[in-house]
Structure formats: structure tokens, C-alpha cells
Amino acid sequence: MTLYDDTLALLRDLVRNACVNEYVPDSGHESRNAATLEEFFDDLPVDIQRFEPHPGRVSIAFTVPGSDPEAEPLTLLGHTDVVPVDEPHWSTDPFGAEIKDGRVYGRGTVDMLFITATMAAVTREVARQASVGNHPRGSLTFVALADEESRGGLGAGWLAEHEPHAFPWKNALSETGGSHLPVADGSDALVVVVGEKGAAQRRLHVTGEPGHGSTPFGRESTLVKLGEVARRLAAIQPEVSSSDIWQDYVRAFRFDPETEKALLDGSDPAAYEAFGPLAAYSHAMSRLTIAQTVAHAGSVINVLPSSGYIELDIRPLPRQTQEDVDEVLRRGLGDLADDVRIEHLISEDATVSPAEGPLYEAIVDTFEEFFPGVPVIPTLSAGGSDLRFARRLGGVGYGFALHARERTLDQVFAELHSHDEALYLEDLDLTVRAYQSLVQRFCGSGSGSAPRRP
């Protein structure tokens, strides 16, 4: 069997194991995918480490030691959990891994089991080479992580806190990248994810006067105040980013000068329509975003509630602090600010890696191999990934995969967590070959070159 065949077979097994993360500790059952991967690496010269912070929530690391302790290590961070499905909306078995019309269908095929399977297959091939004496110069570690879909508390986050030295975090790859931008003039551009926005979840509390619902006159209404808070929050317009990442992203689309200027200076919100299906993502990448997601007040119909709250999913950009977020909220609330108590929920600063250095250059060189002359555009993820833990531990982390020219960034986004999630087999083949090339380029072999530690 070819490396591609091995990867496809493994991908289908991982999908069929149905490691569904329902955002509670007793879900996920990633132990099933860990067992499949242990069997996949059976009888090969790899160091295996197994981590189980909660029963069934297993992360597992496979390391092929390098021959040169001075060579840069590479760590591939895949996750093995998937999000739940609404099965009546699927036209195929979401855990059947059915192949039809050049695609493999199943929950997790795109997010991110195709990359996880690729990482495993390429690492196994390096281990096979090592078994006959052709060791990589730099060590290669593949980690199959649990619990990524619920922010990694029983996966990468737990490892970063409790086992930070179990494997190197210095140079890491994970989801996703290698899709194409729909450039306005029809030319091409490839994206590489260099960072991700942070989290600044907030619960805003207000109070009013309680009483019987039959006598509301003269009482300060919690619900009315909550509604006014919601209105003022909706009117907040955070400033557009001045970062090189945002500016280079906009310029990569080759819009007309007027549209480009409006996007760069934030003068016309309607200009985001030029991005088409990428408008929402592009808007999120350009600024702090504030989404009102939960509102609560009262419990029974005949009682005036004394308190209520609104929950906000806020995503800050790199270099925006939690204090910056609170200041934006207070300014937006104006004279109501003193009447609102701001509670911090999940709060994590954004992380970003430089668009330079040995690993980034290896990514660019690999893209050039498959798509000669196509510019590479760094982007930020609006959501989270396990790469943020590598960056917080002092490493660099990039999203890496490779898609056919027809697969634009919005088309790849559309598959994430969708009904009938499916991966083009052509993209699996490209990703397998791209990972094989990049690992060889970065880790080298017994006779090849590899980046050296500074």
C-alpha cells in the first residue's frame, strides 16, 4: 500500500471510532482512537507516551528520536475528538466514512482527522526509515490529542500545565491551512495560519427592583435595563487592526483602490461585502469582536426579576489585553457602566507566531514546490486551536495542510462542523505529499540537512 492508501484507511478508522466530544468530561472516549493509533505504530522504533487525565480521555504521543541533538525538533499536534452530529440532517452515516464522488464523508473528516491521519502516517514512515538505519536528524513527535473541541482542558491544555516537558513544543504544526484565497483578479494565493484570536468571555450583570408582576409602576425594570445594555453593546464599533497580517491579507485580494482603502482604515463597514463568503471571517480577523450569545432574567411570569445578565463571546486580537476589552465595554456602556458588573469567564490572550524562521520558511518552500510562484499569506484564526499552548510555552505554531486550487478558504470553512462534512480525496493526497515533503525538509535524514538549534 502507498502512504496515501495507509492514510485513507487510518482516516476512515478514526472517523468510525466516533470520538464525539459533548463538552463534558465523560464524553469523547478518545481512548478508542488512541488504541487504533497504537496498533498503527505496532513494532516500530517509536517512543510512546500515554496520558489519561480523566477515564477515556486519552492523548498519546509517538516520537521518532533524532540522530542529532542539536537539530531542531518538530511536533505534529493532531486531535482525535469530533463535535456532535444532528444525524437526521445527514444523507450518509456520519460515522461510516463512506466514499462517493471523490470525497470521504464523516464527522471530523475535515476537522481535523484528515490532518491527524496524515501526521500519523508520515511519522510512521519516518519510523520505518529509522528502523533500517535512516534516522531523522531532528526528532519528530506526533501527538494525538483529546478534548480539542472543548478548549483542550483534558488534552493539550492539561499537558501544557501538567506535562510540559513530555515532548518539545518548540516547533509545532496543527490545523489548518493551505487553502486558497478567491483573489479578485482570478490569480491565486495560499493561506498559512500563524495565530489565533484570544478569548475574553464576559458575563455582564444588572440589577433592578423586584416585585409582583401585577404592580410594575415606579419600579426600575431589570429587563428594560438589560435591553438597554444589549443595545449599547451592539452599537460598539471596535477599531480596525493596523497589523501587517490584516493589511497583507487585504492587499492579497487585489481589490480596487477605493475598496482596499476602506477595508484598511475601517471607514466603510459595507466594504466587507467585497470578500463575499469570507466577509464574516474577514471582519473577525480585522478587529475585536463582541457577540451577545446568552441573556437571562427572571424565572416565573408574575415576578419582576431583581437581577439579570448577558453573556458575551469576545475575541481579542494579538496585543489586546483583557483590560483593553473591559475598557471597550465600559466606554460603550457610557453612563450605564457604573450600574453593570463585569464578570470574567474564560479569558485567554491571543497568540501569534512570526511569519519567518526555519519552520515558517519550510512551509513556504513546501507550498512553492506544489504551487510555484503563488504568494503565501499569513492569516489569523477567529477560533481556537491547540497551537496556542505551544506558543504560550515559547514555541512557534502554524496551521498546515494543502488543498487543490479549487478549494478556497470559505469552502474549507463551510465543511467545519457541518452536516454531511466531507473531504475531497484530492486534498488528502496533496496534504499527505505536502507533509511528507515538509517533514523531510525540516527534520532531514541521516544524510540530509535539518535546521540547527540557535
Side-chain angles (χ1 to χ4, degrees):
M1 293 178 70
T2 66
L3 187 60
Y4 165 81
D5 293 329
D6 288 344
T7 308
L8 177 58
L10 176 60
L11 168 59
R12 299 181 79 188
D13 287 342
L14 297 178
V15 170
R16 289 165 178 157
N17 282 336
C19 296
V20 179
N21 189 339
E22 296 175 337
Y23 308 97
V24 294
D26 290 331
S27 65
H29 308 290
E30 295 92 342
S31 55
R32 294 195 288 262
N33 273 336
T36 294
L37 288 164
E38 280 192 282
E39 183 178 351
F40 189 73
F41 280 90
D42 192 37
D43 295 329
L44 285 170
V46 293
D47 299 330
I48 301 177
Q49 299 174 86
R50 183 184 173 96
F51 311 93
E52 191 169 5
H54 186 87
R57 308 309 298 272
V58 176
S59 297
I60 189 166
F62 304 86
T63 298
V64 184
S67 62
D68 182 354
E70 296 301 315
E72 290 281 344
L74 179 62
T75 301
L76 311 178
L77 301 175
H79 71 77
T80 59
D81 61 324
V82 301
V83 297
V85 300
D86 189 355
E87 196 159 352
H89 290 278
W90 283 66
S91 65
T92 67
D93 178 355
F95 302 107
E98 178 182 343
I99 294 174
K100 64 177 183 178
D101 300 325
R103 305 173 79 183
V104 54
Y105 286 77
R107 174 57 86 220
T109 48
V110 178
D111 183 15
M112 64 169 287
L113 295 180
F114 89 99
I115 303 176
T116 301
T118 295
M119 292 171 168
V122 169
T123 302
R124 186 173 76 165
E125 184 60 29
V126 172
R128 282 174 170 168
Q129 292 296 318
S131 70
V132 295
N134 188 20
H135 298 272
R137 289 193 56 196
S139 68
L140 175 65
T141 301
F142 159 60
V143 192
L145 292 159
D147 201 35
E148 190 274 346
E149 295 293 355
S150 59
R151 301 195 69 83
L154 295 173
W158 186 91
L159 285 164
E161 180 179 356
H162 298 281
E163 297 280 358
H165 304 297
F167 51 82
W169 298 85
K170 187 177 182 183
N171 301 291
L173 297 176
S174 191
E175 57 185 344
T176 184
S179 55
H180 302 257
L181 294 181
V183 182
D185 65 4
S187 60
D188 194 9
L190 280 158
V191 300
V192 57
V193 180
V194 300
E196 58 199 67
K197 299 180 77 177
Q201 295 180 358
R202 298 291 188 266
R203 182 178 290 142
L204 272 54
H205 297 265
V206 303
T207 58
E209 294 183 64
H212 199 286
S214 64
T215 55
F217 179 76
R219 289 188 170 95
E220 184 180 45
S221 169
T222 295
L223 284 168
V224 171
K225 186 184 291 187
L226 204 62
E228 178 60 16
V229 167
R231 187 193 69 78
R232 295 189 185 191
L233 291 172
I236 295 174
Q237 293 293 330
E239 294 181 356
V240 70
S241 173
S242 60
S243 71
D244 290 342
I245 292 176
W246 171 243
Q247 294 189 19
D248 291 346
Y249 174 81
V250 171
R251 293 186 176 111
F253 280 84
R254 302 187 182 185
F255 294 128
D256 63 84
E258 183 178 346
T259 300
E260 182 178 289
K261 180 180 182 301
L263 289 166
L264 292 177
D265 65 21
S267 59
D268 182 8
Y272 285 94
E273 296 175 5
F275 289 112
L278 284 170
Y281 164 74
S282 301
H283 179 271
M285 199 173 105
S286 73
R287 66 191 64 213
L288 177 84
T289 55
I290 303 170
Q292 303 184 50
T293 54
V294 175
H296 177 79
S299 58
V300 293
I301 198 167
N302 64 340
V303 176
L304 298 171
S306 61
S307 64
Y309 61 80
I310 294 175
E311 291 183 349
L312 309 175
D313 183 0
I314 303 176
R315 304 296 176 115
L317 291 166
R319 292 178 289 281
Q320 290 180 326
T321 67
Q322 300 297 321
E323 291 74 21
D324 293 335
V325 172
D326 289 344
E327 180 58 28
V328 168
L329 295 176
R330 284 191 289 266
R331 285 201 308 267
L333 292 170
D335 61 2
L336 273 178
D338 291 340
D339 291 337
V340 176
R341 179 169 66 87
I342 300 176
E343 178 187 359
H344 286 213
L345 303 178
I346 293 175
S347 299
E348 297 180 298
D349 290 343
T351 63
V352 65
S353 297
E356 60 183 11
L359 183 53
Y360 184 82
E361 291 164 8
I363 291 170
V364 172
D365 289 345
T366 302
F367 282 162
E368 175 68 19
E369 177 185 339
F370 289 87
F371 291 94
V374 173
V376 176
I377 308 301
T379 62
L380 291 177
S381 172
S385 80
D386 287 332
L387 286 170
R388 69 189 187 279
F389 300 109
R391 298 188 190 106
R392 287 178 190 152
L393 289 171
V396 297
Y398 303 98
F400 182 71
L402 195 56
H403 297 268
R405 173 70 178 87
E406 296 77 20
R407 242 74 72 209
T408 52
L409 183 59
D410 56 288
Q411 291 176 327
V412 174
F413 281 162
E415 292 296 329
L416 305 180
H417 301 184
S418 67
H419 304 316
D420 280 344
E421 180 181 352
L423 174 77
Y424 283 92
L425 297 178
E426 181 183 14
D427 292 349
L428 180 64
D429 177 59
L430 279 169
T431 297
V432 169
R433 291 191 286 127
Y435 261 92
Q436 188 174 30
S437 177
L438 186 146
V439 167
Q440 171 63 31
R441 180 174 279 112
F442 192 82
C443 294
S445 62
S447 58
S449 62
R452 304 296 293 274
R453 297 176 187 267

